[in-house]
Every structure is written in structure tokens, then in C-alpha cells.
Amino acid sequence: MTTTTTPELSLAPAPTSALSLSRTTATAARVLRQLRHDPRTIAMMILIPCLMLLLLRYVFDGSPRTFDNIGASLLGIFPLITMFLVTSIATLRERTSGTLERLLAMPLGKGDLIAGYALAFGTLAIIQSALATGLAVWFLGLDVIGSPWLLLLVALLDALLGTALGLFVSAFAASEFQAVQFMPAVIFPQLLLCGLFTPRDNMHPVLKTISDFLPMSYAVDGMNEVLRHTDMTATFVRDALIVAGCALLVLGLGAATLRRRTE
């Protein structure tokens, strides 16, 4: 007598292509719908950089030249830090609640998920960067020799880099508190070595070499190029491409290290 065995049904999600425009935009739309019901998060992402720039301007009220020297750099740094914090916490919250596990059980690849998050937060980054740049240049009187549109471009790239870094580090945190703890490890060293407090050429050679590998250094350099030159320079193009390339690289790493759930 011959017996037949029935193959077991696999509950694993069906394989998906690397990226799908429809799945990515659907993910982005879902994230934006969720953020719409969280006005505090939206306010933090959009208004905090503007408030920090406003505070900084009047801290140096008696020395407006100082604001001109560091305001452009901080115009890129503030969005990066804000987007890093919000993105890392929001992504971790979805994983700890089991939302990511349910999403990845559907025909949705990790690349689609990361790209969707980047698109959603990138949309808010555009608004954030536009408001901060407009406030600094046309209201606070930031003296910029180059085009304010180039300032906006670098600010946007910095915000996208912060989004990418937040998505990446969220994979290694088990709680929202741990996500915040990554800030001293990921952001603070870049803040100290980016050239904001002293030119990078004046640093110890070892620190100067380390700063050459940190994306925030090129974000600050790009802002300074706009501050000092009327036209788009080759150095500015190089800096912008490096920041954009780092953002794409970190997004790829985020997709590779994304976990379904935090135990």
C-alpha cells in the first residue's frame, strides 16, 4: 500500500522584488496617516529647528556676525538631529508593537518598508527644511552670499541623512530609551568634529582624519560653501553628493538590518 504525504504549507511571506513603487508609496501613505494623528511629533519635526534658529539668533543679538558664521551650519545640523530622533523612535515603536512583524508577513519587502518610511519622513523633511531656511534667510537676516536654494538643498539632504540614520540605529535598540541613547554615540562625535566649533584643519591630525569619514562634516562644508561663494562650486557639488550618498548607503544598511520584532 502506497502512502502519500501532503507537503506542509509554508507560512513564510512570499518573496518580493527588491523595490516596488506601489508598495513603497502605500507604506509612505500609511506612515503619514499615522503621523497626522500625532500632532506633537509633527510639531517637533517641523517647528523645533525653527525655534532653535530663532533662539540662536537672539542669543547672538549683540554679535550678528557670529550668527552669520554658524547659522548656516546649524541650519543643516538641527534638521539632521531632529529627524534622527523622531525616525528612530517612531520605527522602534512600530517594531515593539508588532506592526512591522505583521507588515513583513505580507508581500512587502524590507526595501519597500525602508523606502516608504524614508519617503514619508522625507516629505516632512522638505517642509521642515523650507521653513527653517526661509526663517533664517528672510526673517532672521542670515547673510548668505550664495543662493538660498542651495542652502535649502543641503538642509534637505541633512534631514534625509538624519532619517536614514534613525532608521538604521532603530534596529539595534530594544526600547525608546535605548534609541535616544544612540544619539551621543552617533550624533555627538559628528557634532564635535564637523568643523562647527573650529576649522577641521586646526584639529589634531587623528581627529581630522576621522572627521573626513563623517557625513556631517560635508554637510557643514556644503553650507559654508554657500555662505562664502556666489556660484555653485565644485566643492559644494562634492559635499552634496557625499551627504546624499551616505544617506542612500545608510538606508541600504537599514533595510539589511531591519528586524521584524523586538522581544
Side-chain angles (χ1 to χ4, degrees):
M1 182 176 179
T2 304
T3 59
T4 59
T5 58
T6 303
E8 295 183 359
L9 295 177
S10 175
L11 297 180
T16 60
S17 57
L19 275 178
S20 166
L21 179 61
S22 60
R23 291 193 296 262
T24 297
T25 53
T27 301
R30 181 188 63 81
V31 174
L32 289 174
R33 284 195 300 270
Q34 288 182 331
L35 288 174
R36 186 181 62 185
H37 301 292
D38 191 356
R40 287 179 297 180
T41 298
I42 294 177
M44 179 178 178
M45 284 190 288
I46 294 178
L47 297 181
I48 291 299
C50 294
L51 292 176
M52 292 297 99
L53 286 170
L54 184 65
L55 177 63
L56 184 70
R57 168 63 181 84
Y58 291 105
V59 165
F60 296 108
D61 190 44
S63 179
R65 194 61 197 166
T66 303
F67 176 71
D68 291 337
N69 290 335
I70 67 174
S73 299
L74 292 176
L75 186 59
I77 292 174
F78 285 157
L80 190 156
I81 294 175
T82 305
M83 296 305 293
F84 172 84
L85 282 174
V86 172
T87 306
S88 60
I89 292 174
T91 308
L92 179 65
R93 187 178 299 167
E94 292 230 308
R95 196 173 73 241
T96 54
S97 66
T99 302
L100 287 185
E101 186 176 30
R102 292 191 296 270
L103 289 172
L104 291 175
M106 301 186 296
L108 180 71
K110 291 183 178 181
D112 299 316
L113 194 66
I114 291 294
Y117 272 86
L119 181 60
F121 285 109
T123 301
L124 293 175
I126 293 174
I127 301 173
Q128 177 197 74
S129 301
L131 287 176
T133 302
L135 175 70
V137 175
W138 290 296
F139 182 77
L140 300 180
L142 180 66
D143 188 12
V144 179
I145 296 178
S147 170
W149 293 106
L150 295 181
L151 276 184
L152 175 59
L153 173 62
V154 180
L156 176 58
L157 291 176
D158 293 342
L160 293 176
L161 176 62
T163 299
L165 289 171
L167 289 170
F168 175 62
V169 303
S170 67
F172 303 97
S175 66
E176 294 180 15
F177 179 67
Q178 286 187 7
V180 174
Q181 285 180 314
F182 273 103
M183 185 172 173
V186 176
I187 300 297
F188 285 0
Q190 296 192 66
L191 190 62
L192 293 174
L193 300 177
C194 68
L196 176 64
F197 301 104
T198 185
R200 293 195 293 129
D201 290 336
N202 294 343
M203 298 178 184
H204 188 280
V206 174
L207 297 181
K208 169 63 170 61
T209 301
I210 295 175
S211 72
D212 290 339
F213 292 92
L214 301 177
M216 192 182 290
S217 300
Y218 298 95
V220 171
D221 288 349
M223 288 294 191
N224 289 333
E225 286 293 305
V226 181
L227 196 65
R228 298 165 185 164
H229 298 88
T230 56
D231 300 322
M232 183 187 299
T233 64
T235 302
F236 172 85
V237 174
R238 180 207 66 183
D239 294 336
L241 289 176
I242 289 176
V243 175
C246 288
L248 291 175
L249 175 61
V250 175
L251 282 176
L253 293 174
T257 57
L258 182 66
R259 289 184 291 164
R260 296 171 181 269
R261 188 180 179 90
T262 297
E263 299 299 336

